[in-house]
Amino acid sequence: MTEITAPAKAPPRSTRERLAATWRKDTEALSPRVLRRTLAELQAIVDPRASEVEGGRRARAFADWYAGAPAEQRRDAWLLMSEQFGADPKKIHSAREHYEAVQGTPEEGAAEIRLRRALVSARTRLLQRFAAFPAGMRFLVDLRAELLPHLRGDKRLLPLDAELETLFSTWFDVGFLELRRLSWDSPASLLEKLIKYEAVHDIRSWSDLKNRLDSDRRCYGFFHPRLDGEPLIFVEVALTDSMSDCITPLLDESAAVSDMDKATTAIFYSISNTQAGLRGVSFGDSLIKHVVETLKAEFPRLKTFATLSPIPGFRAWLARHAPADKLASWEKPLELDAKAPQRQELLSWAARYLGRELQDGKPLDPVARFHLGNGARVERLNWAGDPSPKGLKQSFGLMVNYLYDPKRLDKHRATLSQGVIPMAAAIEDLYR
């Protein structure tokens, strides 16, 4: 019996093909006629004859349409922005040829400027016009957040995403950000944002939040003037007399407030990004540096700055590398005695994961990649550091302290750039 093979599905038409067509095809959201009209509206936004004010007005009108459009029509708008607003290849080719021809002559500088201008796409100018009206930045950040999950399945959208990320890296440079302390006296709308965006240890109630903003705690966030009222990233800090080895006491609402006269250590126990649309734009490093300086000014006795961090990738990595019988012996880690060989073996595997495992020259674990990239070092592994269901699921309850030594941050970054993960001797001893 001959097997019947289903015909291969035809690739989707490009916007160029659709704009030249007469009829809508398959699942295309906008008909060719409406697609042409939509393109004309986008082109009008960047019309060189339109003033910045008029361009911004047209961009706002398009954003209003977009806000009410269904997902499929929004996707067509992305495709138009991505495929129809690239740089002019003829201008690039001509400018590059001229630049190469005048190397070493007095005209070289002017030729470089011409080439740079040729490389600026109409897409850049389009996105700049959207950013011009008051809610435009919010519009673009939300647009990219919606766009990101579609990139893997549709490579045509990559130019739009890359353009947005490049512009955001400039627009959200740390020089334009404001560090603010968040306290129990902050507006309720802002406190609600903390509850919504907390990504490491869920805030269970208002009393839980109040505990995290008590007198022995600090919470700081970076704010952008065009996204006022919403932090881009925030960090929660506990002020203690030693390096914390377990998250439970820090989240215990009934625990006594620490004696601030004895506080010598600042523990960064949660860092949360709030804007999915700003993925790839890094300001966590600057946030920690600014917070360290702010804390040192307020509390001169503070000498140690460290994290109490989860190890989110550990269990999944271990499942791929450790023998199955070993994995079974670790399923109830909280029941293992301090001298149990299974406990020491699990710590040894965790030390290897954090201290040796690299991907493209960077630490494999995402949280380790962030902190070590900022110049911290792996300081200590903590058994039962997070005994919650989430902690057990991620890392068998293990947590790690990353130490931020302000005098050695550059040294640690240099060490990491050479493919060596900075770590305390105690971590090395665990897997020797």
Side-chain angles (χ1 to χ4, degrees):
M1 183 175 178
T2 304
E3 183 178 349
I4 299 176
T5 304
K9 187 177 180 180
R13 295 193 296 183
S14 68
T15 53
R16 180 177 289 105
E17 293 170 317
R18 291 172 60 191
L19 289 165
T22 304
W23 304 103
R24 181 172 13 206
K25 184 179 178 181
D26 298 330
T27 57
E28 294 170 350
L30 298 178
S31 68
R33 180 178 62 82
V34 177
L35 195 69
R36 288 190 287 269
R37 186 181 69 199
T38 305
L39 175 60
E41 291 172 354
L42 288 169
Q43 290 171 331
I45 294 172
V46 292
D47 188 331
R49 296 168 297 181
S51 67
E52 289 293 326
V53 173
E54 177 59 18
R57 187 196 65 77
R58 294 175 182 178
R60 179 164 46 195
F62 188 90
D64 290 341
W65 167 83
Y66 181 95
E72 296 79 8
Q73 293 184 10
R74 292 185 180 194
R75 186 184 182 91
D76 274 352
W78 304 340
L79 288 169
L80 286 173
M81 293 180 188
S82 199
E83 293 188 321
Q84 297 297 317
F85 289 86
D88 187 328
K90 292 182 179 179
K91 289 183 178 180
I92 293 175
H93 179 71
S94 174
R96 182 181 287 116
E97 280 193 334
H98 179 61
Y99 177 63
E100 292 173 352
V102 299
Q103 288 295 299
T105 73
E107 296 181 39
E108 181 179 342
E112 180 184 345
I113 294 172
R114 178 187 170 192
L115 177 58
R116 287 179 178 273
R117 288 174 176 168
L119 290 168
V120 176
S121 69
R123 192 184 307 110
T124 295
R125 295 191 292 274
L126 176 66
L127 297 176
Q128 288 171 336
R129 286 285 172 92
F130 276 108
F133 68 92
M137 195 71 77
R138 174 82 274 165
F139 166 76
L140 291 176
V141 171
D142 290 346
L143 183 151
R144 185 167 184 250
E146 189 179 4
L147 169 77
L148 286 171
H150 297 270
L151 294 179
R152 182 172 294 181
D154 195 341
K155 302 302 182 185
R156 296 175 298 171
L157 298 172
L158 289 174
L160 175 58
D161 174 64
E163 199 93 62
L164 283 166
E165 183 176 345
T166 298
L167 288 171
F168 287 162
S169 295
T170 299
W171 293 339
F172 290 89
D173 181 82
V174 66
F176 300 120
L177 305 182
E178 178 188 356
L179 181 70
R180 298 183 198 169
R181 180 185 168 190
L182 307 169
S183 71
W184 187 244
D185 294 325
S186 296
S189 59
L190 183 52
L191 297 181
E192 288 174 346
K193 296 290 197 312
L194 299 185
I195 296 174
K196 175 183 177 181
Y197 290 121
E198 166 60 51
V200 184
H201 304 291
D202 291 342
I203 299 175
R204 302 177 298 274
S205 64
W206 284 100
S207 59
D208 182 5
L209 178 60
K210 188 174 184 180
N211 175 58
R212 302 189 194 202
L213 299 175
D214 214 332
S215 59
D216 61 343
R217 305 297 180 89
R218 291 294 183 269
C219 181
Y220 298 94
F222 263 152
F223 291 77
H224 190 279
R226 298 297 296 276
L227 295 179
D228 197 27
E230 190 153 323
L232 307 179
I233 185 173
F234 61 90
V235 58
E236 298 168 58
V237 188
L239 304 175
T240 67
D241 59 3
S242 62
M243 191 180 299
S244 301
D245 60 3
C246 182
I247 193 63
T248 304
L250 300 185
L251 302 182
D252 183 0
E253 298 172 34
S254 63
V257 176
S258 299
D259 184 348
M260 297 307 296
D261 290 333
K262 297 180 180 179
T264 60
T265 304
I267 298 294
F268 302 90
Y269 65 92
S270 179
I271 300 177
S272 299
N273 288 289
T274 71
Q275 306 299 313
L278 294 179
R279 190 181 77 182
V281 181
S282 177
F283 24 65
D285 175 22
S286 298
L287 175 66
I288 291 176
K289 287 181 179 177
H290 280 66
V291 169
V292 166
E293 293 304 315
T294 300
L295 289 172
K296 287 169 65 176
E298 185 178 0
F299 304 103
R301 290 173 56 89
L302 292 178
K303 303 300 179 185
T304 302
F305 300 90
T307 77
L308 181 60
S309 299
I311 316 174
F314 178 51
R315 180 186 278 265
W317 172 83
L318 196 62
R320 295 192 301 271
H321 293 84
D325 60 323
K326 292 293 185 183
L327 288 170
S329 71
W330 295 322
E331 280 307 315
K332 296 183 178 179
L334 302 182
E335 298 179 6
L336 294 176
D337 182 79
K339 296 183 179 180
Q342 299 95 327
R343 177 167 169 166
Q344 297 307 309
E345 286 177 331
L346 186 58
L347 286 168
S348 178
W349 279 97
R352 173 187 159 186
Y353 174 66
L354 293 173
R356 287 189 174 179
E357 294 299 312
L358 297 167
Q359 185 176 52
D360 299 325
K362 297 179 181 180
L364 187 60
D365 187 81
V367 176
R369 189 159 55 245
F370 173 79
H371 290 297
L372 297 174
N374 291 342
R377 78 174 187 182
V378 186
E379 187 66 12
R380 185 177 70 186
L381 274 167
N382 301 301
W383 186 265
D386 184 0
S388 71
K390 181 179 179 181
L392 294 172
K393 182 178 180 180
Q394 285 185 335
S395 59
F396 302 92
L398 293 175
M399 295 193 81
V400 58
N401 299 117
Y402 296 105
L403 180 68
Y404 278 85
D405 183 343
K407 296 180 180 179
R408 291 180 170 83
L409 298 181
D410 290 338
K411 176 184 177 181
H412 291 160
R413 272 193 290 262
T415 300
L416 184 62
S417 70
Q418 297 169 5
V420 178
I421 295 177
M423 70 190 82
I427 300 295
E428 293 185 79
D429 291 342
L430 282 172
Y431 60 72
R432 279 178 178 170

